[in-house]
Amino acid sequence: MMKLEKKLKVGVLGATGMVGQRFVTLLADHPWFEVVCVAASPRSAGKTYEEAVGDRWKMTTPMPENVKNLIVLNVNEVEEVAAQVDFVFSAVDMTKEEIKKIEEDYAKTETPVVSNNSAHRWTPDVPMVVPEINPEHYEVIKYQKERLGTTRGFVAVKPNCSIQSYAPVLTAWKEFEPTEVVATTYQAISGAGKTFADWPEMVGNIIPFIGGEEEKSEQEPLRLWGKIEDGVIKKAEGPVITTQCIRVPVLDGHTAAVFVKFAKNPTKEQLIEAIKNFSGEPQELELPSAPKQFIQYLEEDNRPQVSMDVNFERGMGVSVGRLREDTVYDYKFVGLSHNTLRGAAGGAVLSAELLVAKGYIEAK
């Protein structure tokens, strides 16, 4: 594993919300990064982080000591925040247009932005990366810098949490050429920034709609598998993906039930082998947040289960089970990923580590 001379100084934008809290928690003992600045809406500005969050702390672990007394800055005072940090993580809660603007405003102060938000996922020169799947998309950053007029500032994003339970699996099976995919995701309430305490109507309930989620779940994998052409990312043509996204009474962990058709005829053994052996640059580079085993295959009929498997590899791995031949499609399986670790803040931290390892983020 690479060692840094000294830790990079990090700011968290939108630090008081649920994803912001997850960032702060994950970065508490990080070997490369140190949170020196927390920023949030004007109503939180001027308070200590502990005061600003108040009784809205949603993590299961206590608030890290090193952030409690940081004074929350106004996220809109871009220059002031940017002056204190080498780069920022973004988890701001605003409209899509406001997010696009503020993230680019930070980038224009020569501050790289690693975002958990969806606003820039389809900006043609913004890389949307799962570090094990498409790290080569970071090469589009040079074109983005030309557009923004920056030398070190840029925006990089990670994809939606719902696709992490099946897109890595389909990537592992690329050689067998998946042509059609049907996926139903069963999504945890923390994906909406909620706990059962603040969403009591989810207890014992299922809601068959999550705004915008099906479109993201069908389209975002195609962008991950796309290619850079003429300075922008062109999405892949296939496979064709159709999804349904359902909110279920689970705190953390998105499960997917997936059916796949292939152009080639893989055996079950070949498919399992491909999953187990699938890894990428984070594993080669031994990045601090990288799972050693990216995807595990579980043989038992009743796995993966949220209660047993969601924290596989500290929530950064993907669990797969019940792979079997299907009567309509070729194969079907069940996947599970942790939506706020691999799917949100953890995936963004891993992305930032890879950006550091590749030389895109360094001390100012």
Side-chain angles (χ1 to χ4, degrees):
M1 192 194 292
M2 228 173 91
K3 285 261 194 301
L4 295 195
E5 293 292 300
K6 62 182 218 265
K7 289 190 181 187
L8 293 170
K9 294 188 288 217
V10 177
V12 178
L13 312 180
T16 55
M18 194 171 195
V19 177
Q21 293 176 24
R22 179 69 80 181
F23 273 123
V24 160
T25 306
L26 285 176
L27 296 167
D29 300 306
H30 197 282
W32 296 3
F33 305 147
E34 181 185 1
V35 177
V36 297
C37 171
V38 286
S41 66
R43 68 175 179 275
S44 297
K47 299 175 182 170
T48 66
Y49 184 65
E50 190 172 28
E51 288 166 351
V53 172
D55 60 2
R56 291 179 297 117
W57 183 253
K58 293 183 176 180
M59 301 296 104
T60 50
T61 52
M63 185 181 287
E65 290 299 324
N66 62 334
V67 293
K68 281 185 178 174
N69 296 316
L70 289 178
I71 301 298
V72 179
L73 299 182
N74 178 348
V75 74
N76 301 314
E77 292 178 4
V78 176
E79 298 284 345
E80 186 191 353
V81 176
Q84 304 188 21
V85 299
D86 296 315
F87 76 100
V88 295
F89 288 110
S90 173
V92 290
D93 183 13
M94 300 174 173
T95 67
K96 207 159 247 187
E97 291 312 311
E98 288 170 332
I99 292 170
K100 276 185 174 169
K101 181 176 185 319
I102 200 165
E103 290 182 349
E104 288 195 351
D105 287 348
Y106 273 93
K108 286 172 183 168
T109 67
E110 301 296 358
T111 306
V113 178
V114 181
S115 179
N116 186 64
N117 294 311
S118 64
H120 272 298
R121 284 187 199 147
W122 290 94
T123 303
D125 58 11
V126 169
M128 178 179 81
V129 169
V130 173
E132 288 88 349
I133 293 178
N134 60 325
E136 70 283 358
H137 282 193
Y138 286 138
E139 290 161 27
V140 83
I141 287 171
K142 62 174 178 279
Y143 302 104
Q144 186 194 142
K145 286 176 173 173
E146 285 169 20
R147 175 173 65 87
L148 296 176
T150 58
T151 53
R152 70 187 292 285
F154 62 88
V155 179
V157 299
K158 45 147 288 298
N160 199 36
C161 50
S162 65
I163 73 171
Q164 317 273 341
S165 51
Y166 59 91
V169 181
L170 297 171
T171 308
W173 291 343
K174 228 175 186 154
E175 62 186 295
F176 308 116
E177 297 174 22
T179 56
E180 279 182 45
V181 178
V182 177
T184 301
T185 56
Y186 304 87
Q187 300 188 202
I189 64 171
S190 57
K194 307 275 195 189
T195 62
F196 286 111
D198 42 36
W199 203 358
E201 58 272 34
M202 266 316 297
V203 178
N205 193 17
I206 280 178
I207 298 177
F209 174 70
I210 305 170
E213 203 76 356
E214 286 160 3
E215 187 187 5
K216 292 174 190 172
S217 303
E218 291 168 359
Q219 292 298 317
E220 288 185 16
L222 299 176
R223 191 169 197 251
L224 292 180
W225 299 321
K227 296 262 185 292
I228 299 174
E229 290 173 30
D230 305 323
V232 298
I233 293 160
K234 297 269 169 63
K235 72 174 186 179
E237 294 294 308
V240 177
I241 304 173
T242 181
T243 65
Q244 294 202 85
C245 299
I246 295 174
R247 188 75 72 194
V248 294
V250 163
L251 181 60
D252 292 314
H254 288 356
T255 300
V258 186
F259 299 80
V260 191
K261 258 186 192 156
F262 293 100
K264 306 264 173 80
N265 288 323
T267 64
K268 180 177 171 178
E269 290 63 38
Q270 284 177 308
L271 292 173
I272 291 173
E273 211 46 36
I275 292 173
K276 288 181 176 170
N277 294 332
F278 184 61
S279 67
E281 289 187 12
Q283 287 70 35
E284 285 159 36
L285 296 165
E286 297 181 357
L287 297 176
S289 301
K292 286 198 170 35
Q293 177 82 31
F294 181 31
I295 311 175
Q296 68 167 344
Y297 185 76
L298 300 158
E299 298 286 349
E300 300 90 328
D301 285 341
N302 62 349
R303 304 279 288 278
Q305 282 183 33
V306 170
S307 61
M308 299 163 87
D309 303 309
V310 76
N311 291 312
F312 169 60
E313 289 280 15
R314 305 179 319 284
M316 291 297 287
V318 177
S319 299
V320 174
R322 299 206 72 208
L323 177 67
R324 58 222 192 275
E325 287 191 28
D326 184 55
T327 50
V328 178
Y329 282 73
D330 294 329
Y331 284 92
K332 53 191 167 189
F333 70 92
V334 176
L336 168 67
S337 61
H338 196 304
N339 56 296
T340 67
L341 288 168
R342 170 55 75 166
V349 172
L350 184 61
S351 297
E353 292 166 2
L354 186 55
L355 286 161
V356 170
K358 285 177 163 294
Y360 288 98
I361 295 177
E362 49 197 10
K364 276 186 182 169

